[in-house]
Amino acid sequence: MPNLAPAEPLAIAGGTPAFAGPWPPDYPGAFFIGEEERREVLEVLDRRSLFRYYGPETPDKVATLEREFAAKIGTRWALGLTSGTAALKVGLAGLGIGPADEVIVPAMTFIASAGAVLAHRAYCVFAECDESFGLDPADVAAKITPRTRAIMPVHLGGVACDLAPLLAVAKEHGIPVIEDCAQSAGASYRGRRVGGWGDVGAFSFQTQKIITAGEGGLITTSDPAVYERAFRYHDHGGYRFGQEGVRVSGSTAAAGAEEAAPPTAQLEAIVGEVYRMGELAGAVALAQLRKLDSILALARRNKRRLVAGLAGLRGFQFRTVPDAAGDAGTRLNLLLDDPGRVDAFCRAMRAEGVPVARVYGGLPVYAADQIMHRRPGWAVDAADALRRPLVPLGDPYGPPVAYHMGMCPRTEALLARALVLAISPLFTDAELDATVAAFRKVCGALL
Ligand SMILES: Cc1ncc(COP(=O)(O)O)c(C=O)c1O
């Protein structure tokens, strides 16, 4: 049975838009910045101590953030970093990922998930996603090789992947898991927060994230060896313990690293980077963390109202949500039955004032130029370029790797039907009802 034809003409055909607008901007955490963030930041400025490890009067904002974040996720440690991408890189370094290792990455994700792997000169092995938009455990199992060193589930849009079957596959093969939690801070699966299931969780505080410091990131882990490597990688590959003026006491991170550190003679050499979080970002992220659950409560309430309002409509299905109670509530995802109607549907919804869009432009992550068409300057010819810049030529690095469309056909077909709508935690009931009215109009006319 088709949807009910709309009583009003579509806005795209000259009718009145269902959502009078303006549409609330997609900056969930940023809109909750207030007195608390101001107070934390001013304390850092007043103490003139913007660096976490030393300064005139270090306020330990990053260390406090780490302690409270780890407690919320249920891990032993958290480590504050400069971005979510840095968190993935540092997390992978913590797992010991290096050149020519293979990391299984979902075909549907943001470029950073794959980029962090490639930046370590490791290979991405792209696996299919299912209708939950999470990694398909059967395809992950099929893509494991003797070179597989990590599996990276990505919790897209506030929804936790179905982790139980993924972790079972990982465990069976003895492969560590790094969860990309950049879009899903605070979301949970079976009562435990994301970032607390795998060997490492990676979070982002970039400005569009659920909580934000403008830029920033953090990893969570309970594994001392992972933490120890990650800690050194994020700070030049070494330790500051014992250096004059370095603040260790009161800093859980530094104290934890000291505890996790093996005797110097046994240390693996790590050529580190500099991904340390500064006290200003730490101050903002700390105040935001303390608001996380109240932001989630609003977002969840709004998503429930929106989903209930769409009940009975035909022509699409909702993305499956493995654990609805843990959904952060920040995104609505739909799969239209007919991929041929996606563009017309998006255009009509936008005309109604509701900015529905394709998920990642309808393309898998490996379609990105920097992955599929890499042509490093030092490649001698096109065939050589396929080997670089990811790994050097020759043994023990194996055959050249080319990335091309068709690698994950089920995910490509899924993306051709996939839509996303950001749900602001600040929506009023009237705005949510207008959004529902827009869906009802457009579904009635087009699906
Ligand atoms: C899934 C995913 N992973 C990683 C990142 C990287 O985070 P950042 O922008 O903080 O580097 C993002 C950011 O948008 C993301 O969406």
Side-chain angles (χ1 to χ4, degrees), residues 83-85 88 109-110 112-113 154 180 182-183 204 206 209 216:
S83 70
T85 307
L88 289 167
T109 186
F110 182 62
S113 318
V154 181
D180 182 340
Q183 298 181 10
S204 165
Q206 183 264 349
K209 302 304 186 287

PDB file of all heavy atoms in Angstrom, residues 83-85 88 109-110 112-113 154 180 182-183 204 206 209 216, ligand 1:
ATOM      1  N   SER A  83      43.360  15.310  18.408  1.00  0.00           N
ATOM      2  CA  SER A  83      42.216  15.122  17.498  1.00  0.00           C
ATOM      3  C   SER A  83      41.774  13.661  17.540  1.00  0.00           C
ATOM      4  O   SER A  83      42.477  12.797  18.094  1.00  0.00           O
ATOM      5  CB  SER A  83      42.602  15.488  16.049  1.00  0.00           C
ATOM      6  OG  SER A  83      43.489  14.525  15.523  1.00  0.00           O
ATOM      7  N   GLY A  84      40.641  13.402  16.908  1.00  0.00           N
ATOM      8  CA  GLY A  84      40.185  12.020  16.779  1.00  0.00           C
ATOM      9  C   GLY A  84      41.091  11.224  15.853  1.00  0.00           C
ATOM     10  O   GLY A  84      41.324  10.028  16.070  1.00  0.00           O
ATOM     11  N   THR A  85      41.599  11.888  14.837  1.00  0.00           N
ATOM     12  CA  THR A  85      42.521  11.210  13.923  1.00  0.00           C
ATOM     13  C   THR A  85      43.808  10.841  14.666  1.00  0.00           C
ATOM     14  O   THR A  85      44.331   9.731  14.513  1.00  0.00           O
ATOM     15  CB  THR A  85      42.836  12.126  12.718  1.00  0.00           C
ATOM     16  OG1 THR A  85      41.599  12.551  12.149  1.00  0.00           O
ATOM     17  CG2 THR A  85      43.651  11.409  11.674  1.00  0.00           C
ATOM     18  N   LEU A  88      43.161   7.799  16.707  1.00  0.00           N
ATOM     19  CA  LEU A  88      43.254   6.545  15.939  1.00  0.00           C
ATOM     20  C   LEU A  88      44.716   6.193  15.692  1.00  0.00           C
ATOM     21  O   LEU A  88      45.127   5.032  15.833  1.00  0.00           O
ATOM     22  CB  LEU A  88      42.501   6.681  14.613  1.00  0.00           C
ATOM     23  CG  LEU A  88      40.977   6.719  14.744  1.00  0.00           C
ATOM     24  CD1 LEU A  88      40.338   7.170  13.437  1.00  0.00           C
ATOM     25  CD2 LEU A  88      40.441   5.341  15.149  1.00  0.00           C
ATOM     26  N   THR A 109      32.691   4.659   6.262  1.00  0.00           N
ATOM     27  CA  THR A 109      33.192   5.431   7.399  1.00  0.00           C
ATOM     28  C   THR A 109      33.751   6.740   6.892  1.00  0.00           C
ATOM     29  O   THR A 109      33.803   6.991   5.682  1.00  0.00           O
ATOM     30  CB  THR A 109      34.260   4.665   8.206  1.00  0.00           C
ATOM     31  OG1 THR A 109      34.603   5.425   9.381  1.00  0.00           O
ATOM     32  CG2 THR A 109      35.532   4.425   7.405  1.00  0.00           C
ATOM     33  N   PHE A 110      34.190   7.576   7.821  1.00  0.00           N
ATOM     34  CA  PHE A 110      34.852   8.833   7.485  1.00  0.00           C
ATOM     35  C   PHE A 110      36.302   8.535   7.102  1.00  0.00           C
ATOM     36  O   PHE A 110      36.890   7.561   7.572  1.00  0.00           O
ATOM     37  CB  PHE A 110      34.787   9.765   8.704  1.00  0.00           C
ATOM     38  CG  PHE A 110      35.391  11.115   8.480  1.00  0.00           C
ATOM     39  CD1 PHE A 110      34.881  11.964   7.519  1.00  0.00           C
ATOM     40  CD2 PHE A 110      36.476  11.542   9.237  1.00  0.00           C
ATOM     41  CE1 PHE A 110      35.440  13.224   7.313  1.00  0.00           C
ATOM     42  CE2 PHE A 110      37.039  12.792   9.046  1.00  0.00           C
ATOM     43  CZ  PHE A 110      36.526  13.635   8.075  1.00  0.00           C
ATOM     44  N   ALA A 112      39.062   9.543   8.052  1.00  0.00           N
ATOM     45  CA  ALA A 112      40.090   9.442   9.101  1.00  0.00           C
ATOM     46  C   ALA A 112      40.319   8.003   9.557  1.00  0.00           C
ATOM     47  O   ALA A 112      41.445   7.640   9.915  1.00  0.00           O
ATOM     48  CB  ALA A 112      39.696  10.302  10.298  1.00  0.00           C
ATOM     49  N   SER A 113      39.271   7.174   9.556  1.00  0.00           N
ATOM     50  CA  SER A 113      39.436   5.788  10.028  1.00  0.00           C
ATOM     51  C   SER A 113      40.464   5.076   9.156  1.00  0.00           C
ATOM     52  O   SER A 113      41.357   4.377   9.651  1.00  0.00           O
ATOM     53  CB  SER A 113      38.107   5.020   9.966  1.00  0.00           C
ATOM     54  OG  SER A 113      37.030   5.800  10.407  1.00  0.00           O
ATOM     55  N   VAL A 154      33.635   0.925  13.528  1.00  0.00           N
ATOM     56  CA  VAL A 154      33.373   2.365  13.639  1.00  0.00           C
ATOM     57  C   VAL A 154      31.916   2.543  14.053  1.00  0.00           C
ATOM     58  O   VAL A 154      31.009   2.072  13.363  1.00  0.00           O
ATOM     59  CB  VAL A 154      33.634   3.086  12.300  1.00  0.00           C
ATOM     60  CG1 VAL A 154      33.383   4.595  12.460  1.00  0.00           C
ATOM     61  CG2 VAL A 154      35.064   2.835  11.817  1.00  0.00           C
ATOM     62  N   ASP A 180      36.495   2.924  16.741  1.00  0.00           N
ATOM     63  CA  ASP A 180      36.439   4.340  16.371  1.00  0.00           C
ATOM     64  C   ASP A 180      35.126   4.896  16.922  1.00  0.00           C
ATOM     65  O   ASP A 180      34.038   4.638  16.394  1.00  0.00           O
ATOM     66  CB  ASP A 180      36.513   4.491  14.844  1.00  0.00           C
ATOM     67  CG  ASP A 180      36.502   5.949  14.397  1.00  0.00           C
ATOM     68  OD1 ASP A 180      36.058   6.813  15.181  1.00  0.00           O
ATOM     69  OD2 ASP A 180      36.909   6.222  13.252  1.00  0.00           O
ATOM     70  N   ALA A 182      34.559   8.205  17.412  1.00  0.00           N
ATOM     71  CA  ALA A 182      34.588   9.653  17.187  1.00  0.00           C
ATOM     72  C   ALA A 182      33.187  10.257  17.169  1.00  0.00           C
ATOM     73  O   ALA A 182      32.975  11.351  17.667  1.00  0.00           O
ATOM     74  CB  ALA A 182      35.314   9.972  15.882  1.00  0.00           C
ATOM     75  N   GLN A 183      32.229   9.539  16.579  1.00  0.00           N
ATOM     76  CA  GLN A 183      30.873  10.086  16.427  1.00  0.00           C
ATOM     77  C   GLN A 183      29.925   9.613  17.534  1.00  0.00           C
ATOM     78  O   GLN A 183      28.722   9.868  17.444  1.00  0.00           O
ATOM     79  CB  GLN A 183      30.290   9.668  15.075  1.00  0.00           C
ATOM     80  CG  GLN A 183      31.079  10.184  13.885  1.00  0.00           C
ATOM     81  CD  GLN A 183      30.446   9.773  12.561  1.00  0.00           C
ATOM     82  OE1 GLN A 183      29.329   9.264  12.522  1.00  0.00           O
ATOM     83  NE2 GLN A 183      31.167   9.986  11.481  1.00  0.00           N
ATOM     84  N   SER A 204      36.787  11.750  19.464  1.00  0.00           N
ATOM     85  CA  SER A 204      37.086  13.060  18.885  1.00  0.00           C
ATOM     86  C   SER A 204      36.301  14.141  19.622  1.00  0.00           C
ATOM     87  O   SER A 204      35.138  13.930  19.983  1.00  0.00           O
ATOM     88  CB  SER A 204      36.677  13.075  17.407  1.00  0.00           C
ATOM     89  OG  SER A 204      36.630  14.403  16.915  1.00  0.00           O
ATOM     90  N   GLN A 206      36.221  17.210  18.035  1.00  0.00           N
ATOM     91  CA  GLN A 206      36.102  18.200  16.954  1.00  0.00           C
ATOM     92  C   GLN A 206      34.719  18.855  17.061  1.00  0.00           C
ATOM     93  O   GLN A 206      33.826  18.350  17.735  1.00  0.00           O
ATOM     94  CB  GLN A 206      36.318  17.467  15.609  1.00  0.00           C
ATOM     95  CG  GLN A 206      36.300  18.346  14.378  1.00  0.00           C
ATOM     96  CD  GLN A 206      34.945  18.374  13.719  1.00  0.00           C
ATOM     97  OE1 GLN A 206      34.073  17.592  14.050  1.00  0.00           O
ATOM     98  NE2 GLN A 206      34.766  19.300  12.787  1.00  0.00           N
ATOM     99  N   LYS A 209      31.176  17.177  17.038  1.00  0.00           N
ATOM    100  CA  LYS A 209      30.976  15.962  17.816  1.00  0.00           C
ATOM    101  C   LYS A 209      30.041  16.203  19.004  1.00  0.00           C
ATOM    102  O   LYS A 209      29.701  17.338  19.327  1.00  0.00           O
ATOM    103  CB  LYS A 209      32.330  15.416  18.283  1.00  0.00           C
ATOM    104  CG  LYS A 209      33.268  15.117  17.120  1.00  0.00           C
ATOM    105  CD  LYS A 209      32.646  14.155  16.112  1.00  0.00           C
ATOM    106  CE  LYS A 209      33.605  13.725  15.021  1.00  0.00           C
ATOM    107  NZ  LYS A 209      33.880  14.779  14.033  1.00  0.00           N
ATOM    108  N   GLY A 216      40.342  18.141  19.279  1.00  0.00           N
ATOM    109  CA  GLY A 216      40.805  17.349  20.413  1.00  0.00           C
ATOM    110  C   GLY A 216      40.403  15.905  20.232  1.00  0.00           C
ATOM    111  O   GLY A 216      39.566  15.574  19.381  1.00  0.00           O
TER     112      GLY A 216
HETATM  113  C1  LIG B   1      34.283   8.171  12.216  1.00  0.00           C
HETATM  114  C2  LIG B   1      35.320   9.227  12.469  1.00  0.00           C
HETATM  115  N1  LIG B   1      36.554   8.849  12.817  1.00  0.00           N
HETATM  116  C3  LIG B   1      37.518   9.756  13.075  1.00  0.00           C
HETATM  117  C4  LIG B   1      37.276  11.098  12.969  1.00  0.00           C
HETATM  118  C5  LIG B   1      38.403  12.055  13.180  1.00  0.00           C
HETATM  119  O1  LIG B   1      38.217  12.979  14.172  1.00  0.00           O
HETATM  120  P1  LIG B   1      38.958  14.406  14.111  1.00  0.00           P
HETATM  121  O2  LIG B   1      38.213  15.262  13.147  1.00  0.00           O
HETATM  122  O3  LIG B   1      38.889  14.896  15.510  1.00  0.00           O
HETATM  123  O4  LIG B   1      40.361  14.152  13.671  1.00  0.00           O
HETATM  124  C6  LIG B   1      36.006  11.542  12.625  1.00  0.00           C
HETATM  125  C7  LIG B   1      35.737  12.993  12.526  1.00  0.00           C
HETATM  126  O5  LIG B   1      34.844  13.474  11.918  1.00  0.00           O
HETATM  127  C8  LIG B   1      34.990  10.591  12.355  1.00  0.00           C
HETATM  128  O6  LIG B   1      33.756  10.969  12.000  1.00  0.00           O
END
